[in-house]
Amino acid sequence: MPTRRAFLNVATAVLALSLAAPAAAQSDRPIPVVATFSILGDMVKHIGGEHVDVTTLVGPDGDTHVYQPTPADARAVSEARVLVVNGLQFEGWLDRLIDASDFRGIRLVATEGIEPIAFDDEHDQGGSLEVHAEEAGHDHDHDDQAEAGHDHDREEHAEAATRDHDDDHDDEAHAEAGDDHHDHGAFDPHAWQSLGHAVAYVDNITAALAQADPANAADFYQNRAAYSAEIEALDAEIRESMAGLPADRRIVVTSHDAFQYFGRDYGLTFIAPQGLSTESEASAKDVARLIQQIRERDIRAVFIENVADPRLLKRIADETGATIGGTLYPGALSGPDGPAPTYLDMMRHNATTLAQALTS
Ligand SMILES: [Zn+2]
């Protein structure tokens, strides 16, 4: 009977619809994603758009090198479907945090597949053993964070995540001291300072989001295409602006050694009194050698960083007669009202600041 069959078909369709409804509602709800620091958080938002609910652990102007996770961080990680990390040992506190959480999602290392710059002794002339061990102390880190205007909500530290922290720190300080300050792995972690690498970051993030939320994969890949095009356009723009710099104006002094990738891409040489991590402090000998280099090579501008204490660089500028060329953003975005609220703004701001100071 056609009528009856039609009715059954409708009934089946209605049943199918009611079964599909909760699944559809679920795929429309943004998936929880945790990014370890502001640059990754921004990239995830660009790719995930409305389909992701991003929690960023180390916020604007925060120093990921010396970060200490909070109980709220452990809770966010427990709920995350995707955890996006930089890797290359940038987040030295990550394993502790994961141990303290109940994370069962996808852990994505954003630098997967890139060509990292190998650790170079020339680039890590970190401080003396005494200074270094002292620098591992928590009080000092707190002072720095307070001065840099960090999010004070985060200062309530995760007991669980940092339960063994003091002991670990002592061990680490000794291990590092015994290992010629090779404290942060075999590679420079600041790979986002290459826009070419950023395209790889974005590809990796897209693949992880598509895996976690296949229903919205098409949107992620569409967002990736648009964002990658913007990244590549900015790369071309910076390449052009840097190409005009004379050979003797290509040396840049910064606080810590965070711009090797940027230097490799655009033919600049970055030197810094501090090593690859802000955890180690420059020794008097390193500072003296840097001052000598600035005088010998007629370097006219030095740059402070948003995440670092500017006093050392100001002292170096005073002693050498160099000017402060501006503030660079090595590894954290600014707040929304600053000059670097997004990753692309940050890269553009750094390039513009450098080009202006080096040509003036
Ligand atoms: Zn750094």
Side-chain angles (χ1 to χ4, degrees), residues 151-323:
D151 185 1
H152 287 251
D153 292 342
R154 296 211 174 273
E155 293 209 352
E156 184 207 342
H157 297 136
E159 285 311 312
T162 58
R163 202 164 37 222
D164 312 320
H165 200 202
D166 290 336
D167 295 335
D168 285 348
H169 249 308
D170 289 344
D171 293 347
E172 277 164 21
H174 292 306
E176 286 158 14
D179 194 23
D180 288 325
H181 308 294
H182 288 206
D183 47 344
H184 281 265
F187 298 103
D188 181 345
H190 308 89
W192 59 84
Q193 283 294 341
S194 162
L195 285 159
H197 286 338
V199 172
Y201 276 56
V202 165
D203 285 351
N204 289 333
I205 290 167
T206 305
L209 293 184
Q211 191 189 336
D213 184 9
N216 291 309
D219 282 359
F220 300 146
Y221 281 97
Q222 204 178 337
N223 292 343
R224 179 193 72 160
Y227 191 40
S228 298
E230 277 189 79
I231 295 172
E232 280 160 6
L234 180 60
D235 184 37
E237 192 186 308
I238 296 176
R239 214 166 277 281
E240 202 183 310
S241 78
M242 295 296 168
L245 290 177
D248 62 350
R249 305 296 288 276
R250 288 177 169 273
I251 303 168
V252 183
V253 177
T254 60
S255 288
H256 93 289
D257 217 344
F259 293 95
Q260 297 306 317
Y261 291 93
F262 192 98
R264 180 171 75 176
D265 281 2
Y266 305 120
L268 299 173
T269 301
F270 285 82
I271 53 178
Q274 212 176 2
L276 283 171
S277 169
T278 54
E279 252 177 310
S280 59
E281 203 166 78
S283 71
K285 197 179 97 189
D286 295 331
V287 173
R289 181 165 51 191
L290 184 66
I291 285 172
Q292 196 188 345
Q293 274 182 300
I294 291 171
R295 288 183 177 139
E296 282 171 4
R297 302 173 93 164
D298 190 24
I299 296 168
R300 277 166 258 180
V302 302
F303 297 83
I304 55 179
E305 299 174 2
N306 69 321
V307 295
D309 185 338
R311 284 175 298 188
L312 175 61
L313 264 285
K314 283 180 175 159
R315 184 158 70 78
I316 289 171
D318 281 349
E319 278 192 44
T320 57
T323 57

Side-chain angles (χ1 to χ4, degrees), residues 112-127:
E112 194 68 53
I114 69 145
E115 197 184 304
I117 294 177
F119 183 92
D120 181 349
D121 277 310
E122 289 299 306
H123 288 140
D124 186 52
Q125 297 143 353

Side-chain angles (χ1 to χ4, degrees), residues 72-136:
D73 293 342
R75 280 196 296 277
V77 169
S78 297
E79 286 159 20
R81 296 271 295 280
V82 183
L83 170 62
V84 182
V85 311
N86 182 73
L88 301 177
Q89 298 185 40
F90 182 53
E91 302 98 339
W93 38 268
L94 185 69
D95 288 342
R96 271 201 314 274
L97 174 61
I98 290 175
D99 285 350
S101 74
D102 182 26
F103 177 62
R104 282 160 296 172
I106 298 165
R107 175 171 168 176
L108 173 75
V109 178
T111 51
E112 194 68 53
I114 69 145
E115 197 184 304
I117 294 177
F119 183 92
D120 181 349
D121 277 310
E122 289 299 306
H123 288 140
D124 186 52
Q125 297 143 353
S128 68
L129 303 190
E130 296 78 12
V131 171
H132 186 90
E134 202 180 285
E135 186 63 15

Side-chain angles (χ1 to χ4, degrees), residues 61 139-152 155:
D61 297 319
D139 291 338
H140 187 96
D141 294 339
H142 273 241
D143 291 341
D144 283 348
Q145 289 186 349
E147 273 169 28
H150 284 219
D151 185 1
H152 287 251
E155 293 209 352

